[in-house]
Amino acid sequence: MTRANLIKADIWAKVIWADIGRPDLLADDLMENYGIDLKDLLNVRTFLDHNRIWEEPKHISMDRISQSTGAFAHKGKRVSNNLVEDNLVEHFNKWSPYVRNFGLLMIELHTIPPSVTATNLGKTAATAYDATHGFSDQYIVEISVLHKAAAEVGLYPDNQYFKRFPDSNTATVSINLLKGK
């Protein structure tokens, strides 16, 4: 679809297939076919990480007590918030070697606590986002939960570039430049 839209708009671009959950395959493809090291790039993406294909975490943190208020499922079965966070940590861990130097610039969608939504009825799209993403096996977590998961693998938001929309406790979108320290 991306290729078709670019051609239709008369924009030249090289489009390659990749899977958000397999940066190793992207890295191999870039090196083998183009001589480009994924580590030498600023990785940029929009609203993708929450849409990763679910994988049961290989390493389950027995000490994890999720701070997320989200409700999650995979193929109609409830997934605990602890497992969602373990999965997100593993997801970031896969990307960590490739984004440590120049970073991962991401625009991401988030959930917010139900109590915040309830006190802001009609002022946030959180209910719609939670429903549509919940029914389609997507994993939107709060901004703080995303930052905590990234920090567990040594990636931290650069506060100079961090933004949330709206700029309040009802924020359901964030811009982050995650980098290693």
Side-chain angles (χ1 to χ4, degrees):
M1 185 57 75
T2 299
R3 182 178 286 119
N5 286 337
L6 290 168
I7 290 169
K8 186 176 177 182
D10 197 27
I11 298 172
W12 184 92
K14 183 68 179 170
V15 179
I16 63 173
W17 180 90
D19 175 348
I20 193 71
R22 293 294 312 269
D24 57 324
L25 296 180
L26 174 61
D28 291 348
D29 185 18
L30 286 172
M31 184 54 72
E32 183 177 318
N33 295 308
Y34 306 98
I36 297 170
D37 190 337
L38 183 58
K39 295 174 193 166
D40 292 338
L41 303 175
L42 168 65
N43 285 264
V44 180
R45 52 187 179 245
T46 57
F47 305 112
L48 244 125
D49 292 84
H50 70 267
N51 196 21
R52 65 194 179 279
I53 294 173
W54 177 258
E55 292 179 2
E56 199 66 31
K58 292 174 183 64
H59 305 286
I60 296 173
S61 173
M62 301 311 265
D63 297 336
R64 186 177 307 283
I65 300 173
S66 177
Q67 298 300 304
S68 181
T69 59
F72 306 102
H74 175 65
K75 295 187 177 181
K77 294 187 177 168
R78 185 182 182 283
V79 176
S80 81
N81 294 23
N82 291 346
L83 285 180
V84 169
E85 287 186 35
D86 285 336
N87 172 276
L88 183 57
V89 168
E90 287 185 10
H91 173 71
F92 280 138
N93 197 45
K94 291 176 188 177
W95 279 95
S96 180
Y98 305 107
V99 301
R100 285 203 171 280
N101 292 335
F102 297 103
L104 168 58
L105 181 60
M106 62 189 305
I107 300 174
E108 189 56 273
L109 187 65
H110 302 281
T111 190
I112 58 176
S115 59
V116 174
T117 302
T119 58
N120 290 281
L121 291 178
K123 298 176 188 169
T124 176
T127 303
Y129 291 152
D130 285 353
T132 57
H133 289 72
F135 290 131
S136 58
D137 293 351
Q138 297 181 62
Y139 310 97
I140 55 176
V141 297
E142 294 84 350
I143 295 170
S144 60
V145 173
L146 180 122
H147 287 172
K148 181 178 172 289
E152 286 187 41
V153 301
L155 297 175
Y156 301 90
D158 183 328
N159 289 329
Q160 180 179 349
Y161 302 106
F162 170 72
K163 299 288 182 213
R164 61 185 185 162
F165 300 96
D167 190 14
S168 72
N169 67 341
T170 61
T172 53
V173 174
S174 70
I175 299 175
N176 298 276
L177 176 58
L178 300 176
K179 294 173 77 175
K181 286 193 176 182

